[in-house]
């Protein structure tokens, strides 16, 4: 009887908690499919929405997700850069530095897109955003200022928004959550589509001849959040106590390609109510 | 079914369903082999980004009072799961279960917080790759 009462109370508490919090990731098998994507007045697909990763994206946070064994084709210089990231740098995002492209596309966090007629903006948790023009005829600069998102130029190819980016920084950047590197020679081509109302998809080509022996690809699909969900205020440097306690690199990487421990110790048993 | 098992399963379900804003890898800061419980008096609350912190004074093995910094998810994430700032009252006795910082500081990842009335709050930043 005592067990029954405790379990009932706990279940009620759980239901209340779950009802109040919406997950940051969705199980895509439960997301409706087939409803046509919305379109702008000019006929182009409207990519706007609050987009959440799905539990089917594995391993999360790993830019080598689509490669056999998640093995990135690092050059010797790339291997050295990875070693440097693992042994001499803390996660740039943990000290409030912008994750940039393509790291944000490998993140577990949702993002929000707002689309206009000549520009589109991607907004991220941590109060970062990128604003990409797609006015016809745009070309890259001869010598763009290095930045975390690079110099981004958009164009439409049918119903696909292509974002071509060069001009990246080389220092204080990780290409993904596992501390893999990229250099200032990085060239990223993202091909964004909205296959149906509830999904957005990207096919990414990543080229970096300094750190990678050959180009590789990264593809991912996100699912639409609820209409009233949106990016919230998030001041990364308000009280960043962590900075003084972080070790170099992301810590252990699990056998499944994600960051974290394979065999964590269990927490102490829950406290029994009197 | 043992009550303990049921409660554990329920907690795991809540943790898996809710995703806080992961600011960094759990494993870059905390040691998942060092699970600890700290029971002590709440003396300070920082309901801030990128993480909330609350501070608990607890006695160590020698009887000396030690101040523990307990790190949790971002305020918005905690609030959405029902872990409100107003639930933390200075002077309350809290039971905090989590993992200690790798550098040995009196800093822990507060993954489970038991309030004086028995309510259990999930403090974890679940998107950080930490234990589920």
């Amino acid at each position: 009887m005592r067990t029954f009462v405790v379990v009932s109370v706990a279940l009620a508490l759980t239901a209340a908690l779950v009802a109040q919090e919406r997950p940051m990731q969705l199980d895509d098998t439960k997301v409706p499919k087939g409803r046509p994507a919305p379109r702008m007045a000019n006929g182009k697909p409207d990519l706007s929405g609050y987009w959440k990763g799905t539990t089917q994206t594995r391993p999360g946070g790993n830019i080598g997700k689509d490669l056999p064994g998640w093995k990135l084709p690092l050059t010797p210089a790339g291997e050295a850069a990875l070693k440097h990231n693992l042994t001499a740098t803390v996660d740039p995002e943990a000290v409030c530095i912008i994750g940039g492209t393509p790291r944000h596309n490998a993140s577990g966090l949702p993002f929000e897109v707002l689309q206009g007629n000549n520009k589109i903006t991607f907004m991220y948790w941590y109060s970062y955003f990128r604003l990409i023009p797609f006015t016809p005829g745009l070309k890259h600069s001869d010598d763009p200022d290095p930045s975390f998102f690079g110099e981004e130029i958009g164009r439409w190819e049918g119903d696909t928004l292509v974002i071509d980016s060069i001009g990246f920084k080389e220092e204080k950047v990780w290409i993904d959550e596992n501390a893999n590197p990229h250099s200032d020679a990085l060239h990223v081509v993202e091909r964004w589509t909205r296959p149906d109302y509830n999904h957005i998809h990207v096919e990414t080509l990543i080229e970096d001849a300094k750190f990678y022996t050959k180009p590789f690809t990264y593809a991912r699909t996100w699912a639409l959040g609820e209409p009233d969900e949106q990016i919230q205020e998030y001041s990364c440097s308000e009280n960043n106590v962590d900075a003084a306690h972080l070790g170099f690199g992301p810590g252990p990487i699990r056998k499944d390609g994600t960051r974290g421990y394979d065999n964590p110790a269990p927490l102490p048993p829950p406290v029994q109510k009197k | 079914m043992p009550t303990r098992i049921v409660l554990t399963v329920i907690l795991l379900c809540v943790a898996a369903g809710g995703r806080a804003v992961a600011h960094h890898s759990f494993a870059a800061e905390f040691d998942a082999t060092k699970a600890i419980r700290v029971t002590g008096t709440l003396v300070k609350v920082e309901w801030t980004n990128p993480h909330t912190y609350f501070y608990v004074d607890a006695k160590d093995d020698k009887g000396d009072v030690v101040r523990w910094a307990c790190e949790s998810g971002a305020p918005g994430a905690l609030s959405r799961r029902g872990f409100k700032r107003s639930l933390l009252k200075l002077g309350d006795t809290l039971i905090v279960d989590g993992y200690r910082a790798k550098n040995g500081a009196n800093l822990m990842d507060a993954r489970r917080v038991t309030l004086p009335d028995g309510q259990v709050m999930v403090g974890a930043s679940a998107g950080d790759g930490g234990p589920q």
Side-chain angles (χ1 to χ4, degrees), chain A residues 66-191:
Chain A
D66 299 330
L67 302 177
W70 316 304
K71 179 70 175 172
L72 291 166
L74 290 162
T75 63
E79 295 277 8
L82 173 58
K83 183 178 180 182
H84 173 75
N85 285 355
L86 293 173
T87 60
T89 69
V90 298
D91 185 344
E93 281 195 353
V95 289
C96 304
I97 293 173
I98 296 172
T101 303
R103 179 171 176 174
H104 274 293
N105 291 349
S107 170
L109 303 178
F111 63 95
E112 187 160 2
V113 174
L114 293 176
Q115 183 174 327
N117 289 327
N118 297 306
K119 293 180 180 178
I120 187 169
T121 185
F122 287 67
M123 298 184 290
Y124 302 98
W125 286 93
Y126 306 156
S127 305
Y128 305 148
F129 69 93
R130 57 176 177 150
L131 188 59
I132 301 118
F134 49 78
T135 307
L138 290 174
K139 290 185 166 65
H140 280 301
S141 309
D142 291 334
D143 186 14
D145 285 334
S147 61
F148 293 103
F149 284 115
E151 182 184 70
E152 305 172 284
I153 289 179
R155 68 177 186 273
W156 285 99
E157 291 184 2
D159 284 349
T160 301
L161 177 66
V162 182
I163 303 175
D164 189 296
S165 305
I166 61 170
F168 289 92
K169 288 179 180 283
E170 182 171 300
E171 301 292 329
K172 298 182 180 178
V173 290
W174 290 4
I175 201 171
D176 63 9
E177 294 179 352
N178 289 3
N180 288 302
H182 74 68
S183 79
D184 55 4
L186 179 66
H187 174 215
V188 180
V189 181
E190 300 160 86
R191 301 179 65 84

Side-chain angles (χ1 to χ4, degrees), chain A:
Chain A
M1 180 62 187
R2 179 172 174 273
T3 298
F4 175 78
V5 171
V6 172
V7 169
S8 299
V9 170
L11 282 172
L13 172 63
T14 302
L17 290 174
V18 171
Q20 289 181 27
E21 187 185 10
R22 293 160 173 170
M24 287 265 185
Q25 294 186 325
L26 299 174
D27 178 354
D28 197 44
T29 64
K30 298 176 181 175
V31 178
K33 299 172 180 65
R35 180 180 172 187
R39 290 185 179 271
M40 305 284 287
N42 62 11
K44 295 298 182 188
D46 185 357
L47 305 182
S48 301
Y50 183 72
W51 298 105
K52 296 180 171 185
T54 72
T55 55
Q56 283 71 31
T57 297
R58 294 180 183 278
N62 189 330
I63 204 71
K65 174 177 75 70
D66 299 330
L67 302 177
W70 316 304
K71 179 70 175 172
L72 291 166
L74 290 162
T75 63
E79 295 277 8
L82 173 58
K83 183 178 180 182
H84 173 75
N85 285 355
L86 293 173
T87 60
T89 69
V90 298
D91 185 344
E93 281 195 353
V95 289
C96 304
I97 293 173
I98 296 172
T101 303
R103 179 171 176 174
H104 274 293
N105 291 349
S107 170
L109 303 178
F111 63 95
E112 187 160 2
V113 174
L114 293 176
Q115 183 174 327
N117 289 327
N118 297 306
K119 293 180 180 178
I120 187 169
T121 185
F122 287 67
M123 298 184 290
Y124 302 98
W125 286 93
Y126 306 156
S127 305
Y128 305 148
F129 69 93
R130 57 176 177 150
L131 188 59
I132 301 118
F134 49 78
T135 307
L138 290 174
K139 290 185 166 65
H140 280 301
S141 309
D142 291 334
D143 186 14
D145 285 334
S147 61
F148 293 103
F149 284 115
E151 182 184 70
E152 305 172 284
I153 289 179
R155 68 177 186 273
W156 285 99
E157 291 184 2
D159 284 349
T160 301
L161 177 66
V162 182
I163 303 175
D164 189 296
S165 305
I166 61 170
F168 289 92
K169 288 179 180 283
E170 182 171 300
E171 301 292 329
K172 298 182 180 178
V173 290
W174 290 4
I175 201 171
D176 63 9
E177 294 179 352
N178 289 3
N180 288 302
H182 74 68
S183 79
D184 55 4
L186 179 66
H187 174 215
V188 180
V189 181
E190 300 160 86
R191 301 179 65 84
W192 289 92
T193 54
R194 188 166 184 171
D196 63 25
Y197 191 91
N198 287 317
H199 294 88
I200 193 170
H201 180 79
V202 71
E203 298 280 338
T204 314
L205 175 68
I206 298 165
E207 298 179 303
D208 182 347
K210 284 172 70 173
F211 284 1
Y212 295 97
T213 59
K214 57 185 177 182
F216 60 96
T217 58
Y218 177 88
R220 187 172 176 190
T221 300
W222 292 259
L224 188 64
E226 297 297 323
D228 62 339
E229 289 186 291
Q230 62 180 33
I231 297 291
Q232 302 288 332
E233 177 180 297
Y234 187 94
S235 177
C236 178
S237 57
E238 178 185 6
N239 186 32
N240 201 11
V241 174
D242 318 44
H245 299 281
L246 290 167
F248 296 136
I253 302 298
R254 299 187 185 96
K255 293 173 185 172
D256 67 2
T258 61
R259 58 186 186 177
Y261 289 76
D262 269 315
N263 297 299
L267 290 177
V271 177
Q272 303 288 322
K273 278 190 175 181
K274 295 179 181 177

